[in-house]
């Protein structure tokens, strides 16, 4: 439907100027859209860097304690979020290139439209000039008619009446020519204005379709990124749920455990008797320079038969004789 061909006429013929100024706003809107997307890309890039920094913070979490395995879940999630926002940044930067490319094409189309609209602008100016002269011609004709009528009522002589009649005829002829000029200018203006209105509408339709396509690409990119972010958050939530408290405790016990053998009980009688027997064996072995019965010859650094924790045989020399002695 020709909306522009029906709604931009009016008494003062300002429709052409309104349409022309609207066309000039097209490149402005394109530049503003590019600036908006560029700012959004900067925000996404900043957020991506912040998430990467957060991932590094999670990587530096303490490896000690039962909570340590969960830091890996945080790190993986932060890395994926950083990648999501970085990918959106790249898509938006590519979209900015498309917007700027369209802006260049738009300027070429506007230049062509301006050249084609020059005739309409001339027609508007001609009609405006004729429209200003028409009331003057009409007023002049009216004044001449009134003068002639006044002279007739005053019974002025025939010579004066003839002069007044001649002036009236000249004023009428001038008014007739003014009306013809106006009608001719109006017809020319109407045709050219209609052509320009349709041309402006076609240009605006193309502009709006292209801008909507760019906005669709923008919305699609943002939507896809939000879907990916939602998936990352869902995965993070699932990973947290999958790591149970029991699992964390078991993993800590298996990786940091110090052994499963418990210290056994001691019987005083047996323990004291064994100590006396070991003492007698050591004394006899010390006199003879031999190991206790039933054992290998004592060696320096060997485990002592007293079996006390940390007890080791020392090779000492006393009175010119080599002895193996347990300091414990």
């Amino acid at each position: 439907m020709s909306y522009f061909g029906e709604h931009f006429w009016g008494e003062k013929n300002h429709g052409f100027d309104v349409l022309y100024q609207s066309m000039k706003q097209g490149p402005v809107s394109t530049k503003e859209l590019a600036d908006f997307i560029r700012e959004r890309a900067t925000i996404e890039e900043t957020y991506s860097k912040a998430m990467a920094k957060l991932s590094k913070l999670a990587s530096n979490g303490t490896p000690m304690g039962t909570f340590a395995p969960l830091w890996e879940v945080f790190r993986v999630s932060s890395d994926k979020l950083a990648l999501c926002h970085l990918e959106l940044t790249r898509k938006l930067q590519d979209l900015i290139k498309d917007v700027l490319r369209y802006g260049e094409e738009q300027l070429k189309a506007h230049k062509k439209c301006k050249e084609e609209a020059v005739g309409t602008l001339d027609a508007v100016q001609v009609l405006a000039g004729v429209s200003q002269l028409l009331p003057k011609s009409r007023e002049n004709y009216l004044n001449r008619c009134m003068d002639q009528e006044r002279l007739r009522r005053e019974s002025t002589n025939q010579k004066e009446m003839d002069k007044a009649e001649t002036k009236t005829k000249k004023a009428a002829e001038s008014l007739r020519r003014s009306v013809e000029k106006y009608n001719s200018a109006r017809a020319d203006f109407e045709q050219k204005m209609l052509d320009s209105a349709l041309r402006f509408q076609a240009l605006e339709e193309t502009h709006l379709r292209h801008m909507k396509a760019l906005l669709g690409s923008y919305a699609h990119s943002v939507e896809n990124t939000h879907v990916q972010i939602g998936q990352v958050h869902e995965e993070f939530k699932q990973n947290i749920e999958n790591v149970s408290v029991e699992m964390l405790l078991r993993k800590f016990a298996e990786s940091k455990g110090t052994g499963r053998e418990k210290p056994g009980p001691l019987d005083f009688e047996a323990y004291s008797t064994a100590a006396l027997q070991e003492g007698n064996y050591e004394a006899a072995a010390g006199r003879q320079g031999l190991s206790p019965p039933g054992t290998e010859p004592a060696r320096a650094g060997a485990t002592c038969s007293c079996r006390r924790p940390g007890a080791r045989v020392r090779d000492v020399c006393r009175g010119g004789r080599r002895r193996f002695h347990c300091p414990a």
Side-chain angles (χ1 to χ4, degrees), residues 189-246:
F189 162 76
E190 182 176 348
Q191 183 59 49
K192 291 181 178 179
M193 177 60 189
L194 181 60
D195 293 341
S196 293
L198 297 178
R199 191 178 296 112
F200 281 131
Q201 179 170 325
L203 192 67
E204 293 292 349
E205 286 178 359
T206 301
H207 170 61
L208 292 175
R209 286 195 181 97
H210 211 126
M211 292 291 278
K212 284 197 66 177
L214 293 170
L215 289 178
S217 298
Y218 171 81
H220 184 69
S221 298
V222 174
E223 180 184 20
N224 284 347
T225 300
H226 283 188
V227 170
Q228 294 173 358
I229 291 173
Q231 293 172 349
V232 172
H233 286 312
E234 185 63 27
E235 180 182 333
F236 173 77
K237 177 183 175 182
Q238 191 63 43
N239 288 338
I240 292 296
E241 292 177 352
N242 290 340
V243 180
S244 64
V245 173
E246 180 183 357

Side-chain angles (χ1 to χ4, degrees), residues 52-64 68 71-72 75:
K53 184 177 180 181
L54 194 61
S55 173
K56 186 176 181 180
L57 184 64
S59 299
N60 294 332
T62 174
M64 307 299 293
W71 284 119
E72 179 64 13
R75 185 194 66 78

Side-chain angles (χ1 to χ4, degrees), residues 76-140:
V76 172
S77 177
S78 299
D79 277 342
K80 290 184 177 180
L81 289 175
L83 289 175
C84 287
H85 289 279
L86 182 61
E87 181 63 22
L88 179 57
T89 300
R90 292 170 180 169
K91 290 180 179 179
L92 294 178
Q93 289 173 345
D94 291 339
L95 182 58
I96 292 171
K97 295 178 182 178
D98 293 340
V99 175
L100 296 178
R101 191 179 301 111
Y102 165 65
E104 295 175 357
E105 297 173 357
Q106 186 182 33
L107 291 176
K108 295 178 181 178
H110 281 200
K111 182 179 179 181
K112 182 180 179 181
C113 186
K114 290 177 183 178
E115 293 173 353
E116 294 174 344
V118 170
T120 305
L121 180 61
D122 292 340
V124 171
Q125 293 173 347
V126 169
L127 181 60
V130 172
S131 297
Q132 290 177 357
L133 294 176
L134 189 60
K136 295 180 180 179
S137 297
R138 182 175 179 274
E139 183 179 0
N140 182 53

